[in-house]
Amino acid sequence: MEQAQQPDDLHMQATIIRLLQDDPKTDASKMEVVVKDANVLLKGRADTEEEKKHATQIARSVPGVKSVENHLHIEAGIVHALSAFAAQIMSSSEKNKDTDKGAEK
């Protein structure tokens, strides 16, 4: 049978969640924070590897945290997908311009 969280664990969990929610670099709505015996487990999704690493840094910054296991999965959000698509279009467009210039010569 699983033990209930200790008051310190609940305080750490609440602090980590608040810090993730307040940080513009993380989307806490897709993350779950579990704290047991001052060991933190991050679960859910992150849009980028940078966001995933940043969530770990935030959790580690909380006083009393012994360890952080990051099980966040990278799942590109719509903004990331559209940015990548736009970059691909721009790259393709630049290649076409270079090809057109070569044909004019």
Side-chain angles (χ1 to χ4, degrees):
M1 189 157 138
E2 192 173 316
Q3 283 185 320
Q5 287 182 308
Q6 299 300 314
D8 286 347
D9 288 344
L10 292 172
H11 178 72
M12 282 184 230
Q13 180 184 36
T15 300
I16 293 167
I17 291 169
R18 181 180 47 77
L19 290 171
L20 289 170
Q21 289 173 338
D22 290 347
D23 193 288
K25 295 181 184 176
T26 59
D27 181 356
S29 69
K30 299 182 289 184
M31 299 178 188
E32 181 182 349
V33 179
V34 179
V35 182
K36 185 166 185 339
D37 299 325
N39 298 298
V40 178
L41 174 63
L42 299 174
K43 301 190 300 186
R45 297 175 296 171
D47 288 337
T48 64
E49 188 65 33
E50 181 181 326
E51 181 182 22
K52 180 178 176 177
K53 289 177 184 177
H54 191 65
T56 298
Q57 291 171 342
I58 288 172
R60 282 193 179 130
S61 75
V62 174
V65 168
K66 293 179 185 174
S67 69
V68 178
E69 277 189 56
N70 190 325
H71 291 212
L72 293 172
H73 297 282
I74 305 300
E75 185 174 283
I78 188 70
V79 171
H80 179 74
L82 289 174
S83 295
F85 184 62
Q88 185 179 7
I89 290 172
M90 293 299 292
S91 175
S92 178
S93 175
E94 291 300 317
K95 286 179 186 174
N96 287 341
K97 285 181 185 175
D98 291 343
T99 303
D100 290 345
K101 285 181 184 177
E104 289 175 7
K105 290 183 179 180

XYZ file of all heavy atoms in Angstrom:
804
model
N 0.834 -1.183 0.000
C 0.000 0.000 0.000
C 0.883 1.252 0.000
O 1.839 1.348 0.735
C -0.883 -0.020 1.251
C -1.922 1.035 1.237
S -3.228 0.488 2.344
C -3.601 1.964 3.169
N 0.554 2.198 -0.839
C 1.360 3.408 -1.003
C 1.149 4.354 0.181
O 0.021 4.584 0.613
C 0.965 4.113 -2.296
C 1.925 5.181 -2.681
C 1.611 5.742 -4.059
O 1.344 4.938 -4.961
O 1.641 6.968 -4.204
N 2.252 4.895 0.706
C 2.166 5.822 1.825
C 1.703 7.187 1.333
O 2.000 7.592 0.224
C 3.530 5.981 2.491
C 3.911 4.827 3.362
C 5.224 5.123 4.078
O 6.130 5.693 3.496
N 5.307 4.724 5.321
N 1.010 7.884 2.199
C 0.575 9.244 1.885
C 1.791 10.166 1.858
O 2.789 9.919 2.525
C -0.428 9.720 2.925
N 1.693 11.237 1.093
C 2.785 12.207 1.022
C 2.927 12.909 2.366
O 1.939 13.197 3.038
C 2.521 13.244 -0.073
C 2.693 12.722 -1.467
C 2.463 13.822 -2.487
O 1.448 14.492 -2.460
N 3.411 13.996 -3.381
N 4.161 13.184 2.752
C 4.461 13.923 3.963
C 4.201 15.412 3.710
O 4.250 15.869 2.576
C 5.918 13.691 4.361
C 6.240 12.232 4.649
C 5.401 11.665 5.784
O 5.245 12.278 6.817
N 4.837 10.491 5.554
N 3.980 16.183 4.783
C 3.742 17.630 4.612
C 4.860 18.332 3.835
O 4.575 19.191 3.003
C 3.650 18.141 6.054
C 3.196 16.963 6.832
C 3.813 15.762 6.163
N 6.120 17.956 4.098
C 7.220 18.568 3.353
C 7.118 18.251 1.869
O 7.404 19.096 1.027
C 8.575 18.101 3.896
C 8.911 18.744 5.235
O 8.243 19.715 5.622
O 9.851 18.256 5.888
N 6.733 17.012 1.555
C 6.575 16.617 0.154
C 5.472 17.441 -0.510
O 5.624 17.901 -1.650
C 6.238 15.124 0.041
C 7.411 14.218 0.357
O 8.565 14.689 0.372
O 7.178 13.015 0.583
N 4.361 17.611 0.198
C 3.246 18.389 -0.357
C 3.655 19.841 -0.579
O 3.287 20.446 -1.587
C 2.028 18.315 0.574
C 1.356 16.943 0.660
C 0.296 16.946 1.742
C 0.763 16.549 -0.680
N 4.433 20.386 0.355
C 4.909 21.770 0.216
C 5.850 21.888 -0.991
O 5.738 22.828 -1.786
C 5.613 22.223 1.497
C 6.165 23.604 1.406
N 5.360 24.728 1.404
C 7.435 24.051 1.275
C 6.116 25.794 1.284
N 7.384 25.427 1.209
N 6.774 20.931 -1.122
C 7.702 20.946 -2.274
C 6.933 20.825 -3.579
O 7.211 21.546 -4.541
C 8.713 19.805 -2.163
C 9.827 20.052 -1.196
S 11.004 18.678 -1.264
C 11.141 18.322 0.475
N 5.963 19.925 -3.615
C 5.162 19.719 -4.818
C 4.442 21.008 -5.203
O 4.482 21.429 -6.369
C 4.156 18.590 -4.591
C 3.280 18.311 -5.806
C 2.239 17.254 -5.513
O 1.691 17.179 -4.401
N 1.959 16.425 -6.501
N 3.798 21.639 -4.236
C 3.070 22.888 -4.503
C 4.020 23.982 -4.984
O 3.691 24.741 -5.906
C 2.324 23.335 -3.242
N 5.201 24.049 -4.388
C 6.180 25.061 -4.778
C 6.654 24.837 -6.202
O 6.727 25.775 -7.010
C 7.387 25.049 -3.803
O 6.901 25.324 -2.490
C 8.422 26.085 -4.208
N 6.977 23.596 -6.537
C 7.450 23.269 -7.894
C 6.367 23.580 -8.923
O 6.634 24.195 -9.963
C 7.900 21.795 -7.985
C 9.148 21.579 -7.124
C 8.171 21.400 -9.441
C 9.489 20.121 -6.879
N 5.143 23.184 -8.639
C 4.035 23.452 -9.570
C 3.872 24.955 -9.786
O 3.733 25.423 -10.913
C 2.730 22.810 -9.065
C 2.828 21.290 -9.162
C 1.521 23.336 -9.842
C 1.707 20.543 -8.449
N 3.911 25.717 -8.694
C 3.765 27.181 -8.800
C 4.895 27.779 -9.628
O 4.655 28.622 -10.508
C 3.733 27.822 -7.411
C 3.554 29.328 -7.455
C 3.515 29.959 -6.074
N 4.552 29.512 -5.162
C 5.830 29.921 -5.191
N 6.224 30.791 -6.096
N 6.715 29.471 -4.323
N 6.129 27.325 -9.373
C 7.277 27.845 -10.129
C 7.163 27.499 -11.619
O 7.474 28.322 -12.483
C 8.587 27.302 -9.553
C 8.980 27.842 -8.175
C 10.172 27.067 -7.622
C 9.273 29.333 -8.235
N 6.721 26.285 -11.922
C 6.539 25.886 -13.326
C 5.449 26.726 -13.985
O 5.588 27.159 -15.132
C 6.194 24.395 -13.425
C 7.314 23.417 -13.109
C 6.766 21.997 -13.009
C 8.420 23.486 -14.153
N 4.366 26.970 -13.256
C 3.257 27.766 -13.805
C 3.659 29.218 -14.026
O 3.223 29.842 -14.988
C 2.047 27.708 -12.866
C 1.370 26.370 -12.852
C 0.282 26.270 -11.788
O 0.277 27.012 -10.804
N -0.629 25.332 -11.973
N 4.490 29.741 -13.136
C 4.896 31.147 -13.223
C 6.006 31.388 -14.236
O 6.271 32.530 -14.605
C 5.367 31.654 -11.850
C 4.218 31.773 -10.856
O 3.041 31.699 -11.271
O 4.507 31.943 -9.655
N 6.670 30.330 -14.677
C 7.810 30.477 -15.576
C 7.339 30.512 -17.032
O 6.655 29.597 -17.483
C 8.788 29.319 -15.384
C 10.108 29.596 -16.046
O 10.153 29.566 -17.298
O 11.098 29.847 -15.347
N 7.703 31.565 -17.778
C 7.257 31.665 -19.171
C 7.881 30.619 -20.097
O 7.396 30.410 -21.209
C 7.675 33.081 -19.579
C 8.784 33.442 -18.657
C 8.511 32.720 -17.369
N 8.936 29.950 -19.653
C 9.600 28.946 -20.494
C 8.980 27.561 -20.369
O 9.401 26.646 -21.065
C 11.088 28.850 -20.130
C 11.877 30.095 -20.428
C 13.325 29.884 -20.050
C 14.148 31.141 -20.232
N 15.530 30.942 -19.760
N 8.006 27.394 -19.463
C 7.401 26.078 -19.294
C 5.889 26.153 -19.383
O 5.271 27.142 -19.000
C 7.776 25.447 -17.926
O 7.328 26.313 -16.883
C 9.260 25.197 -17.806
N 5.301 25.089 -19.909
C 3.846 24.954 -19.965
C 3.471 23.882 -18.948
O 3.441 22.691 -19.258
C 3.403 24.557 -21.367
C 1.891 24.429 -21.487
O 1.185 24.579 -20.461
O 1.411 24.158 -22.605
N 3.214 24.312 -17.720
C 2.947 23.388 -16.619
C 1.634 22.623 -16.794
O 1.437 21.601 -16.149
C 2.932 24.146 -15.299
N 0.768 23.079 -17.678
C -0.523 22.413 -17.859
C -0.370 20.997 -18.407
O -1.280 20.183 -18.288
C -1.420 23.235 -18.785
O -0.925 23.221 -20.113
N 0.793 20.695 -18.982
C 1.033 19.367 -19.552
C 1.959 18.524 -18.675
O 2.386 17.461 -19.079
C 1.641 19.504 -20.949
C 0.739 20.236 -21.922
C 1.337 20.307 -23.294
C 2.508 21.262 -23.290
N 3.100 21.469 -24.600
N 2.279 19.052 -17.472
C 3.237 18.375 -16.604
C 2.586 17.961 -15.292
O 1.706 18.636 -14.789
C 4.420 19.296 -16.304
C 5.191 19.704 -17.519
S 6.521 20.841 -17.077
C 7.084 21.321 -18.709
N 3.052 16.844 -14.769
C 2.609 16.367 -13.461
C 3.836 16.283 -12.568
O 4.896 15.822 -13.001
C 1.963 14.991 -13.601
C 1.466 14.434 -12.290
C 0.872 13.033 -12.424
O 0.658 12.570 -13.569
O 0.650 12.409 -11.383
N 3.696 16.724 -11.335
C 4.797 16.705 -10.371
C 4.415 15.781 -9.228
O 3.376 15.969 -8.588
C 5.082 18.121 -9.821
C 6.208 18.084 -8.792
C 5.422 19.084 -10.956
N 5.251 14.772 -8.990
C 5.045 13.845 -7.884
C 6.263 13.957 -6.972
O 7.396 13.909 -7.452
C 4.899 12.387 -8.391
C 4.716 11.425 -7.228
C 3.751 12.276 -9.382
N 6.019 14.108 -5.666
C 7.118 14.196 -4.704
C 6.896 13.141 -3.627
O 5.824 13.074 -3.022
C 7.211 15.588 -4.057
C 8.392 15.653 -3.100
C 7.342 16.677 -5.121
N 7.910 12.303 -3.414
C 7.853 11.283 -2.368
C 9.205 11.230 -1.686
O 10.224 11.010 -2.355
C 7.507 9.916 -2.956
C 7.306 8.847 -1.890
C 6.644 7.658 -2.513
C 6.268 6.551 -1.625
N 6.721 6.233 -0.433
N 9.209 11.457 -0.386
C 10.447 11.470 0.403
C 11.464 12.451 -0.182
O 12.647 12.143 -0.279
C 11.041 10.062 0.515
C 10.094 9.090 1.201
O 9.365 9.523 2.116
O 10.066 7.907 0.809
N 11.011 13.590 -0.626
C 11.823 14.678 -1.196
C 12.442 14.332 -2.547
O 13.319 15.038 -3.038
C 12.901 15.131 -0.204
N 11.997 13.238 -3.154
C 12.432 12.857 -4.499
C 11.322 13.241 -5.469
O 10.161 12.858 -5.283
C 12.715 11.352 -4.569
C 13.835 10.963 -3.637
O 14.958 11.431 -3.797
N 13.547 10.145 -2.638
N 11.686 13.989 -6.502
C 10.707 14.546 -7.437
C 10.673 13.720 -8.722
O 11.718 13.337 -9.261
C 11.062 16.011 -7.788
C 10.088 16.584 -8.801
C 11.106 16.860 -6.525
N 9.476 13.467 -9.206
C 9.264 12.815 -10.485
C 8.438 13.753 -11.345
O 7.338 14.169 -10.945
C 8.527 11.479 -10.299
C 8.099 10.751 -11.569
C 9.306 10.353 -12.408
C 7.269 9.531 -11.224
N 8.985 14.126 -12.501
C 8.265 14.960 -13.468
C 7.724 14.044 -14.555
O 8.481 13.292 -15.172
C 9.198 16.009 -14.070
C 9.826 17.004 -13.093
C 10.841 17.883 -13.813
C 8.760 17.858 -12.427
N 6.417 14.118 -14.800
C 5.783 13.284 -15.834
C 4.949 14.174 -16.739
O 4.592 15.288 -16.372
C 4.874 12.228 -15.199
C 5.583 11.298 -14.244
C 4.748 10.112 -13.799
C 3.475 10.493 -13.092
N 2.761 9.300 -12.550
N 4.672 13.670 -17.910
C 3.842 14.417 -18.855
C 4.605 14.767 -20.101
O 5.402 13.968 -20.599
N 4.375 15.986 -20.612
C 4.946 16.390 -21.898
C 5.646 17.732 -21.811
O 5.306 18.579 -21.004
C 3.843 16.485 -22.950
C 3.150 15.172 -23.237
C 2.017 15.359 -24.175
N 1.024 16.225 -23.508
C -0.026 16.744 -24.092
N -0.248 16.549 -25.347
N -0.874 17.503 -23.427
N 6.604 17.890 -22.693
C 7.288 19.168 -22.906
C 7.367 19.369 -24.412
O 7.450 18.407 -25.172
C 8.681 19.144 -22.289
N 7.343 20.628 -24.842
C 7.405 20.916 -26.278
C 8.809 20.774 -26.844
O 8.974 20.442 -28.015
C 6.883 22.325 -26.574
C 5.376 22.432 -26.406
O 4.690 21.398 -26.492
O 4.887 23.550 -26.195
N 9.811 21.054 -26.027
C 11.193 21.018 -26.512
C 12.107 20.410 -25.456
O 11.744 20.323 -24.274
C 11.712 22.442 -26.808
O 11.758 23.180 -25.578
C 10.856 23.165 -27.833
N 13.286 20.024 -25.890
C 14.299 19.516 -24.967
C 14.687 20.608 -23.972
O 14.924 20.340 -22.793
C 15.531 19.042 -25.755
C 16.559 18.332 -24.898
C 16.082 17.021 -24.297
O 15.278 16.313 -24.923
O 16.514 16.709 -23.165
N 14.724 21.850 -24.443
C 15.053 22.984 -23.568
C 14.016 23.125 -22.447
O 14.373 23.341 -21.284
C 15.126 24.275 -24.380
C 15.492 25.488 -23.551
C 15.539 26.766 -24.374
O 15.919 26.711 -25.553
O 15.197 27.813 -23.808
N 12.744 23.003 -22.789
C 11.688 23.098 -21.782
C 11.815 21.959 -20.774
O 11.651 22.160 -19.566
C 10.309 23.066 -22.444
C 9.171 23.195 -21.445
C 7.793 23.119 -22.089
O 7.654 22.571 -23.206
O 6.847 23.598 -21.451
N 12.136 20.770 -21.259
C 12.309 19.602 -20.386
C 13.451 19.841 -19.388
O 13.289 19.624 -18.189
C 12.595 18.367 -21.251
C 12.795 17.101 -20.462
C 13.021 15.917 -21.387
C 13.309 14.654 -20.601
N 13.457 13.485 -21.464
N 14.584 20.311 -19.882
C 15.730 20.587 -19.012
C 15.419 21.706 -18.029
O 15.809 21.648 -16.864
C 16.964 20.946 -19.851
C 17.548 19.782 -20.606
C 18.722 20.226 -21.471
C 19.247 19.074 -22.302
N 20.333 19.491 -23.190
N 14.718 22.709 -18.480
C 14.376 23.851 -17.632
C 13.465 23.408 -16.477
O 13.618 23.875 -15.346
C 13.728 24.959 -18.458
C 13.590 26.246 -17.730
N 14.678 26.995 -17.316
C 12.488 26.919 -17.322
C 14.247 28.067 -16.682
N 12.928 28.049 -16.672
N 12.535 22.511 -16.757
C 11.645 21.992 -15.708
C 12.460 21.280 -14.626
O 12.184 21.422 -13.429
C 10.608 21.064 -16.310
N 13.483 20.537 -15.048
C 14.362 19.858 -14.088
C 15.091 20.880 -13.230
O 15.176 20.734 -12.006
C 15.388 18.961 -14.821
O 14.677 17.957 -15.546
C 16.344 18.298 -13.857
N 15.607 21.931 -13.860
C 16.327 22.971 -13.118
C 15.414 23.635 -12.086
O 15.833 23.920 -10.958
C 16.886 24.028 -14.081
C 17.999 23.521 -14.946
C 18.384 24.512 -16.047
O 17.630 25.421 -16.380
N 19.571 24.330 -16.611
N 14.185 23.884 -12.461
C 13.234 24.502 -11.544
C 12.995 23.587 -10.350
O 13.038 24.023 -9.198
C 11.907 24.831 -12.263
C 12.118 26.014 -13.214
C 10.794 25.128 -11.264
C 10.943 26.313 -14.116
N 12.744 22.309 -10.610
C 12.490 21.361 -9.516
C 13.699 21.265 -8.590
O 13.553 21.248 -7.361
C 12.138 19.990 -10.082
N 14.903 21.219 -9.164
C 16.125 21.127 -8.351
C 16.363 22.379 -7.505
O 17.038 22.328 -6.489
C 17.336 20.898 -9.250
C 17.457 19.483 -9.728
C 18.820 19.227 -10.350
N 18.891 17.838 -10.778
C 19.276 17.428 -11.965
N 19.665 18.317 -12.866
N 19.306 16.157 -12.257
N 15.816 23.499 -7.926
C 16.060 24.761 -7.218
C 15.281 24.864 -5.908
O 15.552 25.748 -5.094
C 15.695 25.947 -8.123
O 14.281 26.098 -8.219
N 14.328 23.978 -5.708
C 13.486 24.049 -4.509
C 14.239 23.455 -3.315
O 14.728 22.324 -3.386
C 12.144 23.314 -4.747
C 11.322 23.248 -3.471
C 11.363 24.016 -5.851
N 14.348 24.204 -2.233
C 15.067 23.717 -1.058
C 14.479 22.409 -0.526
O 13.258 22.252 -0.454
C 14.877 24.843 -0.023
C 14.588 26.058 -0.836
C 13.847 25.568 -2.035
N 15.359 21.467 -0.208
C 14.937 20.181 0.353
C 14.820 19.064 -0.658
O 14.760 17.889 -0.289
N 14.787 19.392 -1.948
C 14.669 18.366 -2.980
C 15.967 17.551 -3.019
O 17.054 18.109 -3.136
C 14.369 18.986 -4.369
C 14.536 17.963 -5.480
C 12.977 19.571 -4.385
N 15.817 16.218 -2.898
C 16.990 15.332 -2.914
C 17.381 14.949 -4.339
O 18.555 14.905 -4.677
C 16.699 14.050 -2.127
C 16.524 14.246 -0.648
C 16.219 12.910 0.004
C 15.902 13.047 1.468
N 15.482 11.755 2.050
N 16.389 14.625 -5.155
C 16.673 14.202 -6.525
C 15.491 14.537 -7.421
O 14.373 14.739 -6.944
C 16.953 12.696 -6.585
O 15.762 11.966 -6.309
N 15.766 14.586 -8.731
C 14.721 14.848 -9.720
C 14.852 13.825 -10.841
O 15.922 13.687 -11.437
C 14.823 16.274 -10.306
C 13.756 16.495 -11.375
C 14.723 17.322 -9.224
N 13.789 13.089 -11.092
C 13.719 12.197 -12.247
C 12.789 12.856 -13.257
O 11.645 13.157 -12.946
C 13.131 10.832 -11.868
C 14.113 9.870 -11.269
C 13.493 8.495 -11.127
O 13.017 7.934 -12.140
O 13.479 8.001 -9.993
N 13.304 13.075 -14.455
C 12.516 13.744 -15.474
C 12.030 12.716 -16.489
O 12.811 12.212 -17.287
C 13.342 14.839 -16.149
C 12.490 15.711 -17.034
O 11.549 15.242 -17.655
N 12.829 16.980 -17.106
N 10.751 12.429 -16.443
C 10.131 11.497 -17.385
C 9.224 12.240 -18.364
O 8.277 11.654 -18.894
C 9.330 10.433 -16.628
C 10.185 9.488 -15.853
N 9.845 8.184 -15.654
C 11.384 9.648 -15.235
C 10.780 7.580 -14.929
N 11.721 8.457 -14.667
N 9.509 13.525 -18.572
C 8.727 14.296 -19.541
C 9.068 13.809 -20.947
O 10.229 13.569 -21.263
C 9.042 15.791 -19.425
C 8.614 16.476 -18.130
C 9.166 17.900 -18.087
C 7.105 16.486 -17.997
N 8.065 13.647 -21.767
C 8.255 13.253 -23.158
C 8.173 14.490 -24.040
O 7.325 15.343 -23.827
C 7.181 12.244 -23.592
C 7.242 10.971 -22.827
N 8.165 9.994 -23.096
C 6.519 10.533 -21.777
C 7.990 8.993 -22.255
N 7.003 9.294 -21.434
N 9.064 14.552 -25.017
C 9.048 15.672 -25.955
C 7.920 15.441 -26.950
O 7.874 14.425 -27.631
C 10.391 15.801 -26.719
C 11.562 15.898 -25.759
C 10.351 16.986 -27.679
C 11.524 17.071 -24.830
N 7.016 16.384 -26.990
C 5.915 16.321 -27.940
C 5.729 17.717 -28.499
O 5.210 18.602 -27.827
C 4.640 15.846 -27.252
C 3.509 15.650 -28.229
C 2.300 15.044 -27.553
O 2.308 13.833 -27.308
O 1.366 15.810 -27.278
N 6.207 17.914 -29.680
C 6.176 19.246 -30.273
C 4.749 19.771 -30.332
O 3.850 19.113 -30.837
C 6.784 19.210 -31.667
N 4.576 20.949 -29.790
C 3.270 21.602 -29.827
C 3.044 22.241 -31.182
O 3.912 22.237 -32.063
N 1.901 22.816 -31.374
C 1.524 23.412 -32.655
C 2.455 24.558 -33.030
O 2.827 24.702 -34.196
C 0.041 23.861 -32.652
C -0.401 24.296 -34.050
C -0.185 24.973 -31.652
C -0.515 23.178 -35.029
N 2.883 25.357 -32.046
C 3.775 26.477 -32.355
C 5.100 25.950 -32.891
O 5.621 26.442 -33.893
C 4.001 27.355 -31.096
C 5.081 28.378 -31.347
C 2.705 28.018 -30.697
N 5.629 24.917 -32.248
C 6.893 24.332 -32.685
C 6.742 23.734 -34.090
O 7.591 23.931 -34.955
C 7.342 23.256 -31.691
C 8.611 22.586 -32.067
N 9.839 23.205 -31.938
C 8.857 21.360 -32.590
C 10.779 22.377 -32.353
N 10.216 21.262 -32.754
N 5.640 23.020 -34.306
C 5.401 22.396 -35.609
C 5.288 23.445 -36.708
O 5.864 23.292 -37.789
C 4.142 21.537 -35.552
N 4.563 24.525 -36.444
C 4.403 25.583 -37.449
C 5.727 26.300 -37.714
O 6.029 26.643 -38.855
C 3.344 26.585 -37.009
C 1.906 26.072 -37.037
C 0.953 27.109 -36.444
C 1.481 25.691 -38.442
N 6.527 26.504 -36.658
C 7.836 27.146 -36.826
C 8.744 26.297 -37.699
O 9.428 26.805 -38.591
C 8.502 27.380 -35.474
O 7.762 28.289 -34.718
N 8.749 24.997 -37.444
C 9.575 24.094 -38.237
C 9.102 24.075 -39.692
O 9.913 24.079 -40.623
C 9.539 22.682 -37.644
N 7.788 24.074 -39.898
C 7.226 24.077 -41.244
C 7.590 25.367 -41.974
O 7.994 25.348 -43.144
C 5.698 23.903 -41.154
C 5.024 23.793 -42.486
C 5.309 22.748 -43.349
C 4.087 24.735 -42.877
C 4.683 22.639 -44.581
C 3.455 24.644 -44.102
C 3.748 23.591 -44.957
N 7.489 26.499 -41.295
C 7.839 27.787 -41.898
C 9.320 27.824 -42.268
O 9.690 28.316 -43.342
C 7.504 28.928 -40.943
N 10.177 27.285 -41.404
C 11.615 27.247 -41.694
C 11.888 26.387 -42.923
O 12.731 26.726 -43.762
C 12.382 26.712 -40.492
N 11.160 25.292 -43.043
C 11.327 24.412 -44.202
C 10.896 25.127 -45.487
O 11.569 25.046 -46.513
C 10.493 23.148 -44.001
C 10.673 22.105 -45.082
C 9.849 20.860 -44.814
O 9.053 20.816 -43.896
N 10.061 19.854 -45.625
N 9.814 25.860 -45.443
C 9.330 26.609 -46.612
C 10.349 27.681 -47.003
O 10.674 27.843 -48.181
C 7.954 27.237 -46.335
C 6.888 26.144 -46.257
C 7.602 28.270 -47.386
C 5.540 26.634 -45.794
N 10.862 28.408 -46.010
C 11.845 29.464 -46.284
C 13.101 28.878 -46.917
O 13.650 29.436 -47.860
C 12.203 30.210 -44.994
C 11.059 31.011 -44.417
S 10.456 32.287 -45.526
C 11.835 33.398 -45.529
N 13.553 27.752 -46.388
C 14.746 27.096 -46.916
C 14.518 26.666 -48.364
O 15.362 26.873 -49.230
C 15.104 25.886 -46.057
O 16.182 25.183 -46.617
N 13.360 26.105 -48.629
C 13.016 25.665 -49.977
C 12.929 26.863 -50.928
O 13.400 26.810 -52.066
C 11.683 24.916 -49.951
O 11.318 24.521 -51.240
N 12.362 27.953 -50.438
C 12.230 29.164 -51.233
C 13.609 29.729 -51.604
O 13.834 30.147 -52.743
C 11.421 30.199 -50.464
O 11.366 31.409 -51.162
N 14.532 29.745 -50.634
C 15.894 30.234 -50.881
C 16.603 29.368 -51.924
O 17.300 29.874 -52.795
C 16.701 30.274 -49.576
C 16.238 31.335 -48.599
C 16.327 32.743 -49.170
O 17.347 33.065 -49.811
O 15.374 33.521 -48.986
N 16.417 28.061 -51.848
C 17.042 27.150 -52.820
C 16.507 27.429 -54.220
O 17.252 27.425 -55.193
C 16.781 25.688 -52.434
C 17.591 25.237 -51.250
C 17.279 23.811 -50.900
C 17.984 23.410 -49.620
N 17.592 22.080 -49.178
N 15.185 27.679 -54.305
C 14.580 27.964 -55.596
C 15.110 29.273 -56.178
O 15.341 29.378 -57.380
C 13.051 28.014 -55.490
C 12.446 26.644 -55.309
O 13.080 25.631 -55.602
N 11.231 26.609 -54.809
N 15.319 30.282 -55.339
C 15.869 31.560 -55.813
C 17.260 31.363 -56.371
O 17.612 31.920 -57.403
C 15.914 32.585 -54.676
C 14.582 33.171 -54.310
C 14.746 34.191 -53.200
C 13.408 34.704 -52.742
N 13.558 35.610 -51.595
N 18.082 30.568 -55.672
C 19.443 30.293 -56.135
C 19.422 29.557 -57.464
O 20.207 29.858 -58.357
C 20.209 29.475 -55.097
C 20.523 30.267 -53.839
O 20.433 31.525 -53.890
O 20.864 29.641 -52.810
N 18.488 28.619 -57.616
C 18.370 27.867 -58.868
C 17.927 28.790 -59.994
O 18.453 28.723 -61.105
C 17.350 26.715 -58.695
O 17.766 25.887 -57.612
C 17.261 25.873 -59.943
N 16.982 29.686 -59.715
C 16.489 30.631 -60.727
C 17.599 31.573 -61.167
O 17.731 31.878 -62.353
C 15.302 31.446 -60.191
C 14.053 30.594 -60.016
O 14.009 29.462 -60.571
O 13.128 31.059 -59.318
N 18.422 32.036 -60.252
C 19.530 32.937 -60.598
C 20.525 32.230 -61.492
O 21.049 32.833 -62.414
C 20.225 33.433 -59.328
C 19.448 34.469 -58.571
C 20.183 34.930 -57.340
C 19.345 35.900 -56.525
N 19.996 36.299 -55.292
N 20.764 30.963 -61.227
C 21.702 30.192 -62.054
C 21.164 30.005 -63.467
O 21.913 30.019 -64.435
N 19.847 29.866 -63.617
C 19.235 29.670 -64.930
C 19.259 30.959 -65.740
O 19.283 30.927 -66.982
C 17.792 29.190 -64.766
N 19.288 32.133 -65.071
C 19.285 33.398 -65.773
C 20.628 33.696 -66.419
O 20.709 34.481 -67.348
C 18.934 34.539 -64.794
C 17.485 34.510 -64.352
C 17.204 35.564 -63.294
O 18.081 36.397 -63.002
O 16.080 35.553 -62.738
N 21.687 33.115 -65.883
C 23.027 33.423 -66.389
C 23.312 32.792 -67.712
O 22.779 31.969 -68.260
C 24.093 32.966 -65.391
C 24.071 33.813 -64.148
C 25.165 33.395 -63.220
C 25.157 34.260 -61.981
N 26.176 33.916 -61.062
